[in-house]
């Protein structure tokens, strides 16, 4: 009887070890990883200038209205979201023309397309040359109360 008891303890222990190994092993199927976004616009960009497009004139210097405007940073993330930093007043001003708060972005046919949280989208022509990004905004009332004009927002990669 003593041997039977010892054998059952050993069998139980062996069975528990086998079960723990079976359940501890991870399923080796590879989970699909989302493709990395290698678009060159994925970076942090600092606003360096707001210029009137040829044939237009800015009614007032934007820095006179928003002193911190040229410290504004936009980050186009690989998950196609946009983050802002360093000048909430400029974000509020620009957000009235360009949806950047909570926006999703995509690049298509030479256009930067921004979609706001309500899925309304706006398309902007852009040029990217090394560490310089220029976004053309047509018919923008950039300065509150002023007439809509064409402007170019100039950014530098940081």
């Amino acid at each position: 009887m003593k041997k039977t008891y010892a054998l059952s303890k050993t069998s139980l222990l062996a069975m528990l070890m086998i079960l723990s190994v079976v359940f501890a092993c991870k399923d080796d199927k590879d989970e699909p990883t989302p493709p990395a976004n290698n678009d060159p616009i994925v970076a942090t960009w600092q606003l360096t200038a707001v210029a009137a497009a040829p044939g237009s004139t800015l009614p007032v210097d934007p820095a006179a209205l928003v002193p911190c405007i040229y410290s504004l940073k936009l980050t186009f993330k690989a998950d196609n979201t946009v983050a802002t930093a360093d000048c909430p007043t400029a974000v509020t001003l620009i957000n009235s023309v360009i949806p950047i708060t909570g926006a999703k972005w995509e690049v298509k046919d030479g256009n930067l397309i921004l979609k706001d949280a309500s899925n309304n989208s706006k398309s902007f022509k852009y040029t990217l040359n090394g560490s310089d990004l220029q976004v053309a905004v047509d018919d923008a009332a950039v300065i509150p109360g002023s007439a809509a004009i064409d402007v170019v927002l100039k950014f530098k990669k940081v």
Side-chain angles (χ1 to χ4, degrees), residues 33-122:
T33 55
N37 191 333
N38 295 328
D39 195 293
I41 203 167
V42 174
T44 299
W45 301 90
Q46 183 168 351
L47 184 64
T48 58
V50 177
S56 300
T57 321
L58 286 176
V60 66
D61 179 14
L65 293 174
V66 182
C68 67
I69 195 163
Y70 297 122
S71 64
L72 172 68
K73 292 182 186 76
L74 297 181
T75 301
F76 292 92
K77 298 181 179 181
D79 66 357
N80 292 76
T81 59
V82 180
T84 59
D86 295 341
C87 187
T89 311
V91 171
T92 304
L93 177 68
I94 292 172
N95 208 45
S96 64
V97 179
I98 302 172
I100 54 175
T101 301
K104 295 271 190 181
W105 67 271
E106 73 174 297
V107 171
K108 188 175 185 180
D109 301 326
N111 290 306
L112 173 63
I113 302 167
L114 296 171
K115 292 181 184 178
D116 64 14
S118 302
N119 217 21
N120 299 317
S121 66
K122 287 192 177 181

